[in-house]
Amino acid sequence: MAYPAMARVLLINPSYTLSYGGAKASIVNPIHPTLGLATIAATARNRGHEVQILDLSWRVYDHRAVQQRLESFRPEIVGITATTALMNQLRDMSVLIKDLAPGTRVVAGGAHPSAMPFETIMETRCDAVFVGEADLSFADYCDGSRLEDIPGLCFRQGDRVCITPRPPPIGDLDTLPMPAWDLYPVEDYRRMSRLLARCPPVTMAEFSRGCVFTCDFCASKITMAKGYRKKSPERCAAEVKHMHDLGFREFMLADDIFTSDQKWARAVCEAIIATGVDMAWTCTNGIRVESADEDLFRIMRRAGCYRVSFGFESGNNEVLAQFGKGGRASIEQGKAAVTMARRAGIDTNGFFLLGLSPDTEQTMRETIDFARQIPVDMMKFGLSIAFPGTKMFDDYVSDGLVKSYDWDEYFIYTDKNLFVHRHLSSDAIKKYLDIAYRKCILQNPGFIFRRIVRGVRTGEFFWDLYYALNFFFMPSVGKALASVYYARDRWPVWNYQANPPRPASYPVVHKSVAAIMADPGIEEVEW
């Protein structure tokens, strides 16, 4: 493989509309620059390559948009990121690109390809798949390095598929260049739902990577490793100022456990305040309830944070302990966390899942009762989908409980029966999802009163009314929206019944005694 000193590189983010399928939750479809592409674009650009990003997230997938960019830019390398719900778009684009420009190298990365690199190669016409963090390995690929020398790469070699050892997690995140947010047209990101964003245009940022917990429905460690790595407070503040200089006025923080190291989180907020930049932000991924602290929430508010999301998941303590919360989170801590955030002047959002691996009809009723009582400003329910890369998926595969490998059906609000739950029928889980939205939102006077008071206080009452009307008429689950595929009949096919997916694995970040003394930002994971 040899490329000119400067390669033309096109990075593609597929459409997100498929992930919501017209369900109630589609009114909060996130529209923001994809951070993963922004980070690998930055390192490739620093090596001298010309990079463009095509973001399809806010429109229904249509292969003609990809074809137009291929014809105008004529890239030598096309990189496509994909979660499971977006995999069929990746498959379609790989065929399209190879038909139009056979010499173009097509590579894939992201959550699903990292979890199933071999299967991704076999189901697409991709030349290579990046496993885990690709900040540096993708730039090596663009440089034309020998494939065998690039860590974390799955690639075709004649009739064989080869996989190189995964790279170690990046120890010092400060050494990475600023994410290439400038490759995204700022005005495109005014489309974000006003339920999610107060000050669009909106982008995505990360101050830390990883998580030390092992929830069986979460696949974050497939790409980020098990462990916790942090940027310096000064670097975090510099990124906030850079986003603001580019024209963004709000960012969503992607960190899984931002408040877990409270001393560091306070230092980050103090550094942001010191910049004097007026930038709104939210903790969007669901911070841990046991790490809630009212003083920390107050300084977060001063730094521009106006909403925190909590990953409550369940209203039953035994269920919380069984699926991997580490025995630390509890419903009592959840109630206390919401109270602390509200006293600090921060809006609260709650995430709940129905059909968790230990769930029964009784525990789902308890989750609904808990959600109805807890005084959050916004809440979202979802079906527990066993995505590739999760322990839940591996367990279902090993027990023969997976019913579908059609990736278009793998979205959080699907109406398809993807698995055989050990305790529940698919219809029962969907029934309780409908009950949850009805009892906790539409028939919950406390929640409605809080939304009205909040809407008047923030001046967003009419936005709330607009979204409430949309929410009322939409179903709890939905069908996948139709995509305009290029060549579905010519997608490579892999027989999953004869060749079940292999269990996913991920690296673990360890910390030596010397590293503890130096405190480079890598936290011990063996809690």
Side-chain angles (χ1 to χ4, degrees), residues 1 3 77 164 180 188 195 198 222 253 271 276 281 290 296 385 430:
M1 179 178 65
Y3 297 121
I77 303 170
T164 62
D188 282 352
L195 287 177
R198 186 174 290 176
I222 296 299
L253 191 62
W281 54 285
E290 76 274 16
L296 176 57
I385 303 298
K430 293 171 189 173

Side-chain angles (χ1 to χ4, degrees), residues 103-244:
T104 300
R105 306 293 280 187
V106 183
V107 299
H112 185 102
S114 288
M116 302 173 64
F118 175 80
E119 291 85 356
T120 298
I121 285 282
M122 301 307 294
E123 280 198 299
T124 68
R125 294 187 64 189
C126 288
D127 297 288
V129 169
F130 290 87
V131 181
E133 289 179 319
D135 304 72
L136 305 177
S137 55
F138 180 72
D140 293 340
Y141 187 91
C142 295
D143 290 343
S145 299
R146 279 179 10 109
L147 300 182
E148 296 84 353
D149 297 334
I150 300 175
L153 191 69
C154 180
F155 59 93
R156 300 179 189 274
Q157 193 170 69
D159 294 331
R160 298 189 306 131
V161 175
C162 304
I163 303 180
T164 62
R166 294 180 70 130
I170 298 167
D172 186 356
L173 299 178
D174 283 8
T175 61
L176 296 174
M178 287 276 184
W181 291 298
D182 58 289
L183 294 179
Y184 292 93
V186 173
E187 291 303 308
D188 282 352
Y189 304 98
R190 293 189 183 277
R191 294 180 172 86
M192 176 74 86
S193 165
R194 292 300 291 267
L195 287 177
L196 286 182
R198 186 174 290 176
C199 306
V202 182
T203 189
M204 180 70 79
E206 66 170 8
F207 294 161
S208 63
R209 287 185 184 179
C211 179
V212 300
F213 297 97
T214 53
C215 299
D216 69 357
F217 58 81
C218 178
S220 68
K221 284 166 282 297
I222 296 299
T223 52
M224 298 297 183
K226 182 184 178 186
Y228 192 38
R229 294 162 289 150
K230 300 166 291 188
K231 297 177 181 177
S232 67
E234 295 75 20
R235 168 60 184 258
C236 298
E239 291 195 7
V240 172
K241 186 176 186 307
H242 183 55
M243 288 183 279
H244 189 271

